[in-house]
Amino acid sequence: MSVHTPPFDAELLAYLRRHSRAEHPLLAQIRRETAGHRMGKMAIAPEQAEMLVWLARLIGARRYLEIGVFTGYSSTAVALALPEDAQLDCCDINVSFTEHARRYWQAAGIEHKIRLHLQPALITLEQLLAAGAGESYDLAFIDADKEPTPQYYERCLQLVRRGGIIAIDNILLGGRVARPLQSDSPPAVAVLQQFNADLALDERVLPITLPLGDGLTLLQKL
């Protein structure tokens, strides 16, 4: 019986990836090209994208909301898995990053499923709510700047249907959330420490945090 999760060093991670479902060739291309990007560390891990795809298929998702597109790995993975009549609303503010994403969407033949919103995500979320999109999304993924995470979460909670799922990346901040605050700690550390503590008491959702990537929290709306 295991009482803790073993550390996933490079060797064990490589083993798991070898024995997992083969990565789509286009996703592998995105990952290779993004690895050479100066901000490449912002990309999600392949197993995180696989978890999103698995969840989307499990709940029969047709509407997906993403906050933080970067070069398009997660949005491409989900769009490839969703049916032809699916709709993905993807939020970002960086034209340069999302130009890469658009290129991959076109190459994958999935661009028709995706609406890209190039403005601060909180504005887009408020617009979606004002347009009557409340409780209409099956799955939401938050992977953007960390300080507004509580605000992103509250909006997503209004936009996702009952039984739907909200996924939040980088919830561990490289382990910094588990350590006492320092005078030079980025503001996001205190924000996520409080956010994580609050989630455990939030009766609106059923939460679980998985040790995937930098911590992936999954919340089912009750």
Side-chain angles (χ1 to χ4, degrees):
M1 182 176 69
S2 176
V3 295
H4 68 281
T5 301
F8 283 87
D9 57 21
E11 181 182 22
L12 186 54
L13 184 57
Y15 172 86
L16 288 175
R17 288 179 177 173
R18 285 197 307 272
H19 292 79
S20 297
R21 185 175 180 178
E23 188 176 27
H24 189 285
L26 184 60
L27 294 177
Q29 179 184 343
I30 298 174
R31 188 158 58 88
R32 286 193 302 270
E33 293 182 3
T34 303
H37 194 285
R38 62 182 178 84
M39 301 290 287
K41 65 180 182 179
M42 289 170 50
I44 70 169
E47 46 273 14
Q48 290 178 301
E50 277 296 298
M51 175 59 74
L52 289 176
V53 167
W54 189 87
L55 289 169
R57 287 176 169 159
L58 178 70
I59 64 174
R62 290 180 180 274
R63 298 201 70 192
Y64 170 76
L65 176 62
E66 180 169 284
I67 303 171
V69 175
F70 192 34
T71 57
Y73 191 99
S74 53
S75 54
T76 301
V78 173
L80 284 168
L82 265 54
E84 278 299 303
D85 62 348
Q87 179 181 317
L88 293 80
D89 282 289
C90 298
C91 308
D92 209 297
I93 59 171
N94 192 298
V95 175
S96 177
F97 293 165
T98 53
E99 279 302 312
H100 292 279
R102 284 184 187 273
R103 177 160 53 87
Y104 298 128
W105 297 340
Q106 291 168 358
I110 55 173
E111 191 176 25
H112 63 285
K113 300 180 184 180
I114 300 171
R115 292 193 303 184
L116 177 62
H117 305 267
L118 277 171
Q119 61 181 358
L122 286 174
I123 294 176
T124 298
L125 300 179
E126 291 291 354
Q127 289 175 340
L128 291 172
L129 286 167
E135 298 195 337
S136 68
Y137 290 89
D138 303 296
L139 176 63
F141 180 42
I142 302 172
D143 186 19
D145 46 334
K146 304 311 167 189
E147 286 183 58
T149 295
Q151 289 75 40
Y152 293 149
Y153 166 66
E154 288 297 333
R155 273 45 167 213
C156 286
L157 199 57
Q158 297 177 64
L159 287 161
V160 168
R161 64 169 173 82
R162 291 186 182 276
I165 294 171
I166 301 171
I168 309 175
D169 193 20
N170 302 116
I171 210 73
L172 300 179
L173 288 180
R176 285 175 291 179
V177 293
R179 298 191 288 267
L181 286 174
Q182 304 297 318
S183 59
D184 60 347
S185 295
V189 177
V191 169
L192 286 189
Q193 284 180 335
Q194 186 62 55
F195 179 70
N196 291 341
D198 291 342
L199 278 185
L201 304 175
D202 194 336
E203 296 183 351
R204 299 171 296 175
V205 293
L206 181 64
I208 183 172
T209 296
L210 305 177
L212 292 175
D214 189 27
L216 183 68
T217 290
L218 304 176
L219 306 127
Q220 184 181 39
K221 181 176 175 178
L222 301 177

